[in-house]
Amino acid sequence: MNRIVTLRPEQVQEPPGHQILIVDDEPLMRSGLRHHLEEPGRRILECGTGAEAIALMKNREIELVLLDINLPDISGMEILEWITVNRKSIGVILVSGDDCIDSAIRALRHGAEEFVRKPYEVDDIRHKVNAVLHRRQLERNNVLMTARLEQSERLHRFLVESSPDIIYTLDEKGCFTFINRRVESLLGFSREELIGCPYFTIVHEDDLERAVYAFNERRSDHRATTNLEVRLKCKKDNNFRIFEDRHVVTMLSAVGIYESATDSDEVAKQTKRYLGTYGVARDITERKLAEETINFQALHDHLTHLPNRRLFRDRLELAITQAKRNGGMLAVMFIDLDRFKLVNDTHGHAEGDELLKNVAQRLRGCMRAGDTLARQGGDEFTVLLPDLHCEENATVIAQKIIDDFSIPYHVVGNEFRATASIGIALYPRDGETADALLRNADIAMYKVKGNGKNGFQLFSPAISSCYQDRLVLENELRQAVKNGEFELHFQPQVNVRGGTVVGLEALLRWNHPVHGLLNPGGFIELAEESGLIVSITDWVLAEACRNLAGWRARGFLDLRVAVNVSPSEFERNDLVERVCSQLDRYRIPGEYLEVEITENLLLSETVSVVEKMRALRSRGVRIAIDDFGTRYSSLNYLRNFPISAIKIDQSFVRDLSERQGGSPIISAIVGIARGFGLDLVAEGVETDYHLEVLHALGCEEMQGYLFSRPVPADEVTNLLATMGNRPDDLSRAMDSPLLRLNGFDLKGAL
Ligand code: C2E
Ligand code: MG
Ligand code: MG
């Protein structure tokens, strides 16, 4: 069912277009006018009384009233008054039969826009109606435009005031005529105090020249100054924003303002008057800071804040160019901390980092102003000494560094002793490019490492050729590891009381494809420095255990094997596991393996080294100190470390001479071994005289050419036989205390 909806008059939507009201008590007059005025876009309403007219004007958007003066109820004048009083924006054309001029004047005074006398002329009234409607349209447009302008001005003002940038205008003398409120929060100046002041009131002194240039350019086209970096001063003693040096970095634009001239008015354009400048200043302080941080990070080491490798190279290249121009000299130092890895491994990286920071600080203290100290990475530092007068200037600094390092470091409650190896290369003598100088300083540094570290060395061509040889050797060694070019030879350790072999020292040999069998003296250090020692130790341990397992299988159950383990291996956390895994693999009880270490290792006295030794001892593995007495012997070591045996170094044995009789050093070592309850082995026993003296001094186990040179593994069984060792039961029987007690020489009998 359809619902019929009745609309109230106010709900009826006004049709678009002009609404014209004809007020006349004569219906003929009304219809005549309607007829003449009707047009598309117009709506003609009519009424016959003043009251009706007012009612319609109240409720409708009447634009124009054609008003008769004489109406039955109220006069046309009263309607005019009503329009004025009610501020209705309605145009009125008075249409009157009254031909008195007075009434026309009165009507116009009361706000009528036009006066038409009845009978009217159609063209005349049409013309007047059109004119009034047109005028009203213009007025409406004007009002609309004004409203829009006001709105737009408010919008622009809002935008300008709430802009995060400073927006300003200057007059032709460069004084502020406008500046937005941002200046208050950014610089702390109130805008009132700036208006009328010259722009340089707020420009940083050091940037004045640039600012003057920008403002004097007075360009208004695309060449106008944009993006000029200028620092603006903050007002002193303001609480708005505190900057370290009380300025804000801004990106400034400045555009000239000129009297407007049309594009075609070329002459006027050339001579147009300069009125001032407008522009924007954007706060880029934070961005600048971020940029500076990024730049700093790109060129500095994050841990020590020293210049990094890149910046160092830049400075070095610059210094070389200058030295080339002035015929000057400069030095490059390569500094590498000795055994720094040990600190990292035993104390952890946090302490390692702390130590590096301390080292960096101390190194910095040894430099002159103008020198560059950089961190290359890890524990490597480089130094650039520009403007060098003589070679000694560089060596003096190097010596200063070495001396300074002798003072221990205190890091997180621990005391560290750090030493450094320093290589020095001089421009132009040792190289003319950054690469050559760095490489040669590095080579010289390696020379120091090779000579026992903790010192400095100037580069020389002789060192370089050594270094080249080293490189070749290192390469070959790498191949040797890969191709399995190693062999183990075994040298017996003999108990001279029983005359039998109690142990075998495993000694490494490199079967070099060109040079033949090489002894370890020529390559073991390189293996340590290059890290190849790890694979080599693994191979030696496995090979020694495999051979021992073979001899044990043949019944030589009391035989032990000694393996030399480099100190650098004790810096690694996996050493104990690697040793034990080979024992497990070949089912060898720990007490049949002896690990030989050098005294150097004991020097470090670090907790982790002792822990590793204890862990090995707890598996039964014996620990012997090799070459005892040759280095920094201290009785303390023997007390603190879980040691099983000491080996008298062959140099002491070699020094035994028939003329001088015994050796006080050897007697002392024998005494120490006895005192600490340690086993003792004498090395390098070559003659019967050595044997006799050592035996007389109380040494029972010996090793040396007198008994046998080191022999390949497959000769060991024969060797054992010739030395009188018997498999299992027999050898046990020979060692039987009962037989010995009875003075029965079983060995001789066999
Ligand atoms: P070392 O541990 O003190 O070994 C004893 C060295 O003295 C051996 O030299 C041996 O051949 C030599 N020798 C033995 N008896 C006599 C003698 O009566 N007179 C003389 N003049 N020399 C004798 P080699 O085999 O050349 O080894 C040199 C050093 O290389 C060893 O000294 C040891 O420190 C190291 N080394 C050997 N094998 C290995 C290994 O597998 N790993 C590690 N890290 N080092 C090893
Ligand atoms: Mg040894
Ligand atoms: Mg030795």
Side-chain angles (χ1 to χ4, degrees):
M1 216 180 93
N2 282 337
R3 259 180 76 203
I4 297 168
V5 181
T6 331
L7 292 171
R8 287 194 306 278
E10 63 271 21
Q11 285 180 298
V12 177
Q13 276 237 318
E14 295 283 353
H18 307 291
Q19 296 205 66
I20 301 171
L21 175 62
I22 303 169
V23 188
D24 203 311
D25 54 341
E26 285 176 49
L28 263 177
M29 185 66 191
R30 295 203 299 263
S31 60
L33 277 171
R34 169 191 287 275
H35 174 72
H36 292 125
L37 297 179
E38 226 157 22
E39 246 179 50
R42 282 185 189 166
R43 185 160 190 241
I44 313 281
L45 308 167
E46 8 174 320
C47 65
T49 66
E52 279 176 297
I54 286 174
L56 278 166
M57 285 191 293
K58 262 187 192 164
N59 295 323
R60 304 283 185 103
E61 290 291 319
I62 306 291
E63 211 171 311
L64 170 63
V65 179
L66 292 148
L67 187 61
D68 186 13
I69 291 193
N70 299 316
L71 294 168
D73 47 356
I74 49 173
S75 84
M77 290 303 165
E78 281 171 87
I79 292 177
L80 273 173
E81 251 176 58
W82 182 90
I83 290 173
T84 314
V85 169
N86 286 282
R87 296 169 180 271
K88 288 282 182 186
S89 165
I90 299 174
V92 178
I93 299 177
L94 225 57
V95 186
S96 171
D98 192 347
D99 54 1
C100 169
I101 186 83
D102 284 353
S103 60
I105 290 170
R106 222 157 42 100
L108 292 172
R109 274 204 191 130
H110 274 75
E113 289 183 41
E114 295 286 350
F115 187 88
V116 177
R117 189 160 306 146
K118 290 183 193 170
Y120 57 82
E121 281 192 15
V122 176
D123 283 347
D124 178 43
I125 197 153
R126 272 196 186 141
H127 174 75
K128 284 186 171 149
V129 164
N130 286 346
V132 170
L133 286 177
H134 181 65
R135 208 160 42 233
R136 297 203 61 73
Q137 184 62 46
L138 288 178
E139 274 167 21
R140 256 203 319 274
N141 288 350
N142 194 24
V143 168
L144 209 67
M145 215 144 76
T146 314
R148 277 196 192 134
L149 270 173
E150 275 171 14
Q151 165 87 13
S152 140
E153 203 208 310
R154 268 204 303 277
L155 180 70
H156 281 105
R157 191 163 285 279
F158 171 78
L159 290 177
V160 167
E161 289 303 349
S162 52
S163 162
D165 303 332
I166 291 178
I167 299 173
Y168 67 91
T169 58
L170 304 177
D171 63 14
E172 75 280 10
K173 292 195 203 90
C175 295
F176 285 108
T177 47
F178 171 82
I179 191 154
N180 68 346
R181 221 180 287 135
R182 180 67 174 126
V183 75
E184 300 182 347
S185 57
L186 202 58
L187 306 180
F189 290 98
S190 78
R191 43 181 177 174
E192 288 72 29
E193 64 185 313
L194 287 180
I195 298 294
C197 291
Y199 64 81
F200 49 77
T201 315
I202 59 168
V203 174
H204 192 287
E205 288 77 14
D206 297 347
D207 292 352
L208 257 181
E209 205 174 311
R210 278 196 295 162
V212 168
Y213 170 77
F215 288 119
N216 282 355
E217 259 194 335
R218 299 183 173 182
R219 283 182 172 154
S220 62
D221 53 15
H222 63 275
R223 292 171 306 159
T225 299
T226 49
N227 300 342
L228 182 77
E229 210 180 287
V230 170
R231 280 167 293 173
L232 298 183
K233 287 191 288 190
C234 286
K235 189 179 176 182
K236 286 199 177 78
D237 308 322
N238 75 77
N239 297 322
F240 284 91
R241 235 179 118 152
I242 307 300
F243 294 96
E244 268 170 41
D245 52 356
R246 309 184 71 78
H247 71 251
V248 179
V249 187
T250 62
M251 200 56 101
L252 188 91
S253 72
V255 184
I257 312 170
Y258 291 87
E259 248 174 357
S260 56
T262 55
D263 279 353
S264 56
D265 200 352
E266 275 306 322
V267 185
K269 232 176 131 183
Q270 312 239 315
T271 57
K272 60 191 175 170
R273 196 162 69 88
Y274 169 71
L275 298 176
T277 303
Y278 78 91
V280 170
R282 168 161 299 180
D283 175 12
I284 55 161
T285 314
E286 312 269 297
R287 200 183 84 195
K288 283 297 284 183
L289 278 175
E291 264 174 29
E292 275 165 23
T293 313
I294 290 168
N295 282 343
F296 185 86
Q297 283 171 348
L299 297 174
H300 292 80
D301 164 52
H302 71 278
L303 180 72
T304 57
H305 296 167
L306 290 178
N308 63 11
R309 181 192 289 262
R310 215 175 111 199
L311 183 55
F312 183 82
R313 175 171 276 272
D314 269 8
R315 293 204 185 154
L316 177 56
E317 277 166 1
L318 193 73
I320 291 174
T321 314
Q322 277 167 356
K324 204 169 273 176
R325 201 179 303 138
N326 312 333
M329 181 156 91
L330 62 85
V332 171
M333 278 187 189
F334 211 107
I335 306 175
D336 190 290
L337 302 188
D338 300 329
R339 297 202 172 278
F340 176 74
K341 202 175 163 296
L342 196 68
V343 178
N344 262 350
D345 288 353
T346 52
H347 295 273
H349 285 264
E351 284 194 26
D353 283 356
E354 267 317 297
L355 180 63
L356 280 175
K357 280 200 243 174
N358 279 260
V359 164
Q361 213 173 354
R362 207 175 275 186
L363 284 173
R364 191 66 261 176
C366 298
M367 306 288 124
R368 314 163 303 176
D371 295 345
T372 297
L373 167 69
R375 183 173 173 219
Q376 292 287 303
D379 58 351
E380 290 174 353
F381 296 86
T382 44
V383 176
L384 163 64
L385 307 174
D387 306 324
L388 216 61
H389 294 304
C390 56
E391 187 179 304
E392 282 71 40
N393 287 166
T395 53
V396 164
I397 292 177
Q399 188 57 52
K400 190 161 179 247
I401 294 172
I402 301 289
D403 293 346
D404 254 40
F405 267 54
S406 63
I407 306 163
Y409 287 90
H410 294 276
V411 176
V412 210
N414 286 315
E415 190 180 284
F416 291 96
R417 275 168 205 283
T419 59
S421 301
I422 306 174
I424 308 169
L426 301 173
Y427 170 91
R429 193 190 72 187
D430 303 329
E432 298 202 3
T433 62
D435 276 332
L437 288 167
L438 276 165
R439 191 183 54 240
N440 291 341
D442 191 29
I443 290 172
M445 186 275 289
Y446 266 103
K447 177 77 180 163
V448 181
K449 291 262 181 212
N451 288 348
K453 310 184 172 80
N454 192 20
F456 68 85
Q457 170 77 53
L458 282 156
F459 175 81
S460 72
I463 295 179
S464 175
S465 73
C466 246
Y467 184 79
Q468 296 306 327
D469 294 349
R470 214 188 95 103
L471 279 187
V472 171
L473 192 66
E474 185 177 327
N475 234 357
E476 289 177 344
L477 197 58
R478 213 170 285 281
Q479 288 304 315
V481 171
K482 224 186 266 170
N483 302 340
E485 291 170 11
F486 296 112
E487 280 179 27
L488 270 192
H489 285 196
F490 294 88
Q491 187 178 34
Q493 296 172 334
V494 178
N495 183 316
V496 290
R497 278 240 286 162
T500 54
V501 176
V502 287
L504 292 158
E505 179 175 4
L507 293 161
L508 184 64
R509 298 289 178 264
W510 175 6
N511 206 346
H512 191 282
V514 179
H515 306 302
L517 212 58
L518 300 180
N519 285 346
F523 63 87
I524 215 77
E525 197 178 293
L526 184 65
E528 287 173 355
E529 280 165 17
S530 60
L532 290 167
I533 192 71
V534 179
S535 318
I536 295 177
T537 306
D538 280 339
W539 182 83
V540 169
L541 280 167
E543 190 63 6
C545 289
R546 188 179 70 83
N547 280 302
L548 180 59
W551 298 318
R552 286 174 65 79
R554 287 195 196 135
F556 297 105
L557 290 170
D558 286 341
L559 208 57
R560 60 166 200 259
V561 162
V563 171
N564 295 281
V565 172
S566 292
S568 63
E569 288 286 9
F570 276 81
E571 292 171 12
R572 295 176 57 94
N573 287 327
D574 57 359
L575 177 71
V576 176
E577 192 192 311
R578 282 157 60 209
V579 172
C580 293
S581 75
Q582 297 301 341
L583 290 176
D584 293 341
R585 183 175 167 196
Y586 293 104
R587 296 171 193 278
I588 294 169
E591 54 268 37
Y592 294 103
L593 181 71
E594 188 166 76
V595 166
E596 290 191 11
I597 55 173
T598 56
E599 277 172 303
N600 275 13
L601 181 64
L602 309 182
L603 255 186
S604 60
E605 259 191 282
T606 54
V607 181
S608 88
V609 170
V610 180
E611 271 170 6
K612 279 168 202 151
M613 286 188 186
R614 291 227 168 92
L616 288 173
R617 289 293 297 129
S618 73
R619 273 295 306 259
V621 176
R622 292 164 51 89
I623 293 177
I625 303 180
D626 209 349
D627 309 338
F628 188 79
T630 52
R631 310 208 184 194
Y632 316 88
S633 299
S634 155
L635 296 186
N636 253 350
Y637 305 146
L638 304 178
R639 210 176 45 212
N640 296 339
F641 288 86
I643 292 156
S644 332
I646 49 182
K647 296 183 77 178
I648 301 173
D649 187 63
Q650 47 184 279
S651 58
F652 301 125
V653 177
R654 201 185 307 128
D655 286 349
L656 289 173
S657 71
E658 295 191 29
R659 267 189 294 114
Q660 283 168 8
S663 153
I665 295 179
I666 294 178
S667 332
I669 296 175
V670 173
I672 289 167
R674 281 215 186 104
F676 283 93
L678 302 173
D679 290 344
L680 190 66
V681 183
E683 289 188 286
V685 180
E686 292 186 353
T687 61
D688 285 329
Y689 176 72
H690 291 159
L691 174 90
E692 274 167 33
V693 176
L694 286 164
H695 195 216
L697 285 169
C699 182
E700 293 199 347
E701 286 188 11
M702 296 181 203
Q703 176 181 349
Y705 295 167
L706 178 65
F707 309 101
S708 165
R709 288 185 172 262
V711 296
D714 54 13
E715 292 177 23
V716 167
T717 329
N718 277 343
L719 181 83
L720 289 174
T722 48
M723 294 296 290
N725 285 57
R726 291 288 171 271
D728 209 4
D729 308 343
L730 284 174
S731 68
R732 272 186 214 291
M734 281 194 300
D735 265 347
S736 161
L738 196 71
L739 291 177
R740 261 195 269 125
L741 206 68
N742 293 332
F744 189 80
D745 184 2
L746 184 64
K747 222 166 72 182
L750 282 167

